[in-house]
Amino acid sequence: MSGATLKPLPLTRERFLPFGDVIEASGTQREPMNAARFERFDDLCGVDVGADGRVCISVARCRTATKLPYRFDVVERHPLGSQAFVPLAPARFMVVVAPAGESVEVADLKAFVTNGRQGVNYHRGTWHMPLIAFEAGQEFLVIDRAGGLPNCDEHALDESVLLLES
């Protein structure tokens, strides 16, 4: 495998729109709650579970930190529903995505780095690199589809990709 390189761009709603939603409490409609002691930011992403699925909320904890540069050669997608990752404490992380389709080419990959307070919600079928974190113990709230049918396809890339520091 020869290898391509990817340098991530800062994650913004506009850049990520073809692949999913950015989950963050900024620039959105705010509503007071609990006698106005809190602000509530509603409807930050569309949770898609399909006709036969149900919402599944989980926590994922990083056991092994990732160091950059990081080489990968597999992406995955969830054909039956969306999948969201929201850091439970401020922490920067990177995502690599490609448009939904039957397969993915290395040239279609885009990389983004969060600002440490953003989460992402991958649309149904969006190809993405498996989750990585830069610190052991880092935790993410995971919101995705549960149901009787398998909902994860993996695709081996034709060449490896080296993810660089932003």
Side-chain angles (χ1 to χ4, degrees):
M1 291 186 171
S2 59
T5 59
L6 271 178
K7 188 169 182 177
L9 296 171
L11 181 68
T12 65
R13 290 179 196 277
E14 297 75 24
R15 288 180 180 146
F16 200 68
L17 189 60
F19 312 105
D21 308 301
V22 175
I23 302 171
E24 63 184 332
S26 70
T28 60
Q29 182 65 33
R30 302 171 187 186
E31 296 294 330
M33 66 177 261
N34 296 70
R37 293 188 325 269
F38 288 85
E39 288 180 307
R40 182 174 162 149
F41 300 82
D42 287 332
D43 205 19
L44 298 177
C45 70
V47 178
D48 177 0
V49 296
D52 297 326
R54 63 180 175 79
V55 174
C56 178
I57 297 177
S58 309
V59 172
R61 179 180 298 137
C62 177
R63 293 177 62 191
T64 305
T66 298
K67 302 243 185 277
L68 295 178
Y70 175 72
R71 188 170 298 282
F72 67 97
D73 59 6
V74 172
V75 291
E76 63 185 40
R77 69 175 177 177
H78 305 280
L80 303 178
S82 60
Q83 185 180 48
F85 294 95
V86 181
L88 291 178
R92 187 177 65 97
F93 68 103
M94 291 189 188
V95 297
V96 175
V97 292
E102 286 308 306
S103 65
V104 61
E105 301 297 324
V106 169
D108 296 330
L109 296 172
K110 306 283 185 216
F112 300 99
V113 61
T114 70
N115 64 14
R117 299 175 52 87
Q118 298 165 308
V120 297
N121 180 53
Y122 300 120
H123 287 165
R124 176 195 301 229
T126 294
W127 290 103
H128 60 91
M129 178 181 68
L131 182 64
I132 61 171
F134 299 119
E135 294 181 30
Q138 185 176 347
E139 293 181 328
F140 294 86
L141 182 69
V142 183
I143 305 166
D144 61 358
R145 179 192 189 280
L149 298 173
N151 189 30
C152 185
D153 297 335
E154 289 188 348
H155 177 77
L157 299 169
D158 291 337
E159 61 181 314
S160 67
V161 177
L162 187 64
L163 181 61
L164 304 175
E165 185 69 45
S166 57

